[in-house]
Amino acid sequence: SSVNIVFPAAYTTARAERLFLSCRRPGIAAGRPAHTMQLRYLKNLHSPQDSMQKVMAITWSVNAQKLAVVGVDKIVRLMDENGDLQDRFSTKPADKDKPNKTYLVKAMDFSPDSTKLAIAQSDNIVFIYKLGAEWKDKKSICNKFA
């Protein structure tokens, strides 16, 4: 089966072919011409679980080389353009003193250079994580907005 997705004219064909899932469609509301593209199922990005694992947020990097996915477990999974898992890290609560993590990740977005990831949480904070140049580099919070 296939799904028709509308992409703005600004997307190149090569980039659009790599984008098999898009959460944002910039430019469509601005009245720019759009192209349609037919997508096919390629593979599962996450292995099946015995319990329900809801995906809370998903985003592509600007250069379409990294895909970030986070579920209700609050673990960010970083994948390459082929959907292969390269790295993962846990998000942090706004209040370190609370023993239980009662927050959820609400949204994510990459920086224009794809080296940072903004993560908005339900505990009214946005953390900016520095991802580093290589996949396995240490992930650290470099800024926060409360």
Side-chain angles (χ1 to χ4, degrees):
S1 68
S2 62
V3 177
N4 286 331
I5 301 287
V6 177
F7 286 97
Y11 283 89
T12 63
T13 304
R15 182 172 181 207
E17 288 173 355
R18 285 186 296 224
L19 292 172
F20 54 89
L21 182 58
S22 176
C23 295
R24 297 178 298 172
R25 296 186 223 168
I28 291 176
R32 293 187 210 149
H35 301 287
T36 59
M37 179 177 92
Q38 196 170 38
L39 302 179
R40 290 179 315 182
Y41 167 81
L42 297 176
K43 66 178 183 176
N44 287 335
L45 295 179
H46 198 294
S47 59
Q49 304 288 324
D50 287 336
S51 61
M52 190 171 193
Q53 279 288 332
K54 183 178 179 183
V55 172
M56 299 303 295
I58 185 168
T59 187
W60 277 102
S61 63
V62 176
N63 63 6
Q65 299 296 310
K66 296 177 183 176
L67 176 68
V69 180
V70 66
V72 292
D73 59 359
K74 302 170 193 87
I75 296 174
V76 177
R77 290 165 179 81
L78 296 172
M79 299 172 200
D80 62 16
E81 68 273 11
N82 298 317
D84 298 323
L85 181 65
Q86 296 295 325
D87 205 357
R88 56 187 269 165
F89 64 94
S90 295
T91 58
K92 309 289 185 234
D95 186 3
K96 296 177 187 176
D97 298 331
K98 286 190 176 180
N100 60 350
K101 297 182 179 183
T102 58
Y103 69 95
L104 293 173
V105 173
K106 302 302 275 180
M108 293 188 302
D109 204 5
F110 279 96
S111 63
D113 63 357
S114 303
T115 60
K116 295 181 181 120
L117 184 65
I119 299 179
Q121 300 176 178
S122 64
D123 51 357
N124 298 324
I125 196 160
V126 176
F127 285 116
I128 310 296
Y129 287 83
K130 182 179 177 189
L131 301 178
E134 301 295 322
W135 286 110
K136 297 297 179 184
D137 286 351
K138 183 180 179 196
K139 312 305 183 249
S140 61
I141 297 172
C142 63
N143 210 340
K144 63 181 176 181
F145 303 94

